Amino acid sequence: MAFFPLALFLFIGCAAAQLSTNYYTSACPNIFSTVKPVVQSAILKEKRMGASVLRLFFHDCFVNGCDGSLLLDDTANFTGEKNATPNKNSARGFNVIDDIKTAVETACPGIVSCADILAIAAQDSVVILGGPSWNVKLGRRDALTASLSGANNNIPAPSMNLNDLTSKFSAQGLSTTDMVTLSGAHTIGFARCTSFRSHIYNDTNIDSSFAQSTQSNCPLTSGSGDDNLAPLDLQTQYIFDCNYYKNLINKKGLLHSDQELYNNGSTDSQVQTYSTNPVQFKSDFAAAMIKMGDISPLTGSQGEIRKNCRVVN
């Protein structure tokens, strides 16, 4: 029997668990060209969908890592994450992931995980809307279970202050700098009235004319207009740019948690930098997305490759 030094054995074991940018080079060489047209078509049909798909990846990674657990439907004897508070009536784009899975299964059946599809689709969404590209690391496998409590507890809430936000990101191995960078995803997309009602009626660190105009579509009374939408970026909600940070400086952050990033605190200077330096923001965002995609992946013999992203095999 061949003898391997312990250090080499540990290195081999560790290396086997790493994600890689060329993971599917031989097993599914057309993976990227298979996914992108489906994402493009979905965004063409509804521009908001790019932000929705990107958000799915965030909400998946923050619960037990980037493992596709968010995609699992509830059944009679299984409770998934879709009805957790941060996701209920809010997480969307699952049908786009289904469409991508169908296309990918035709191209290379049984090879590509739903978790990896989500990672690729998130990057495509950003690029299509004018944001940076990055080398997506792949090799994740799909979770056999999900965590409702994890979704309720781990995903940052729009009502959180800077300390709470920092601790939620820190729990995932992400720094305060990563948090400010990744929050820039709010340069695209919309939020529901329930997420920003308290900020536009109760907070003082908000531009009064912005608050007033936003109130017209979000009544004070809870239960009234809860699902009405407002853009997270006032100017260019379908373009991935740095206007989100400019809005924060002008006290026009839609969510309480957004404005917390620029509120006489430790993150003000980073917001100022990004507001005038879109090149640095986009470069940092790409790096932070790679880092987020590395959160606790299932690899090797862990999990499975789901045939249908909504159910375990």
Side-chain angles (χ1 to χ4, degrees):
M1 178 178 163
F3 172 74
F4 291 103
L6 179 60
L8 180 58
F9 177 79
L10 290 175
F11 173 77
I12 292 169
C14 182
Q18 297 299 308
L19 302 180
S20 147
T21 54
N22 56 8
Y23 186 81
Y24 295 111
T25 302
S26 44
C28 190
N30 300 328
I31 179 63
F32 293 103
S33 58
T34 303
V35 174
K36 192 164 188 177
V38 185
V39 180
Q40 245 162 346
S41 167
I43 292 175
L44 208 57
K45 214 176 290 178
E46 186 196 0
K47 278 191 173 177
R48 183 185 164 208
M49 194 51 79
S52 297
V53 169
L54 177 59
R55 185 168 180 258
L56 286 184
F57 188 50
F58 272 75
H59 284 212
D60 183 43
C61 290
F62 268 69
V63 185
N64 296 341
C66 312
D67 62 358
S69 59
L70 173 60
L71 305 174
L72 291 169
D73 282 344
D74 288 0
T75 66
N77 49 15
F78 172 83
T79 304
E81 298 165 15
K82 288 182 178 177
N83 285 309
T85 303
N87 298 325
K88 191 172 186 178
N89 301 323
S90 158
R92 58 198 298 278
F94 297 108
N95 55 321
V96 177
I97 304 305
D98 293 338
D99 292 344
I100 297 170
K101 181 64 172 171
T102 300
V104 169
E105 285 298 300
T106 302
C108 30
I111 301 290
V112 182
S113 68
C114 300
D116 276 349
I117 283 172
L118 205 45
I120 298 169
Q123 193 250 188
D124 285 339
S125 295
V126 170
V127 170
I128 290 164
L129 295 177
S133 65
W134 56 91
N135 293 321
V136 182
K137 289 160 75 171
L138 301 166
R140 300 170 193 81
R141 287 167 65 84
D142 295 321
L144 300 170
T145 186
S147 175
L148 180 70
S149 63
N152 279 325
N153 294 318
N154 299 355
I155 297 170
S159 58
M160 284 182 172
N161 64 28
L162 189 60
N163 283 342
D164 292 335
L165 292 167
T166 302
S167 93
K168 290 293 180 194
F169 276 78
S170 176
Q172 304 298 335
L174 298 167
S175 68
T176 304
T177 304
D178 295 327
M179 175 188 71
V180 177
T181 307
L182 290 169
S183 296
H186 286 178
T187 181
I188 52 174
F190 292 76
R192 295 159 66 232
C193 169
T194 50
S195 298
F196 58 83
R197 177 182 279 127
S198 177
H199 180 51
I200 62 172
Y201 284 102
N202 302 330
D203 288 349
T204 53
N205 61 339
I206 184 169
D207 176 86
S208 56
S209 62
F210 170 65
Q212 211 168 355
S213 65
T214 311
Q215 286 168 5
S216 65
N217 193 38
C218 181
L220 176 59
T221 313
S222 183
S224 175
D226 284 2
D227 292 329
N228 292 354
L229 299 173
L232 286 158
D233 170 354
L234 203 55
Q235 287 88 9
T236 52
Q237 55 267 28
Y238 300 121
I239 300 172
F240 199 98
D241 56 23
C242 65
N243 280 341
Y244 166 78
Y245 298 103
K246 292 179 182 176
N247 292 334
L248 298 187
I249 289 170
N250 293 320
K251 296 192 174 179
K252 293 180 180 178
L254 182 65
L255 307 179
H256 175 85
S257 56
D258 287 330
Q259 198 57 58
E260 280 287 295
L261 303 184
Y262 191 82
N263 193 32
N264 301 313
S266 61
T267 55
D268 284 15
S269 59
Q270 191 181 346
V271 170
Q272 282 170 325
T273 299
Y274 286 162
S275 73
T276 57
N277 194 334
V279 173
Q280 186 178 342
F281 162 53
K282 288 182 178 182
S283 167
D284 289 356
F285 187 84
M289 286 296 290
I290 292 170
K291 189 173 174 183
M292 187 179 75
D294 279 342
I295 299 173
S296 307
L298 299 176
T299 57
S301 59
Q302 300 171 307
E304 65 180 12
I305 305 297
R306 276 184 227 141
K307 296 184 180 77
N308 175 341
C309 292
R310 293 174 181 267
V311 294
V312 296
N313 293 344

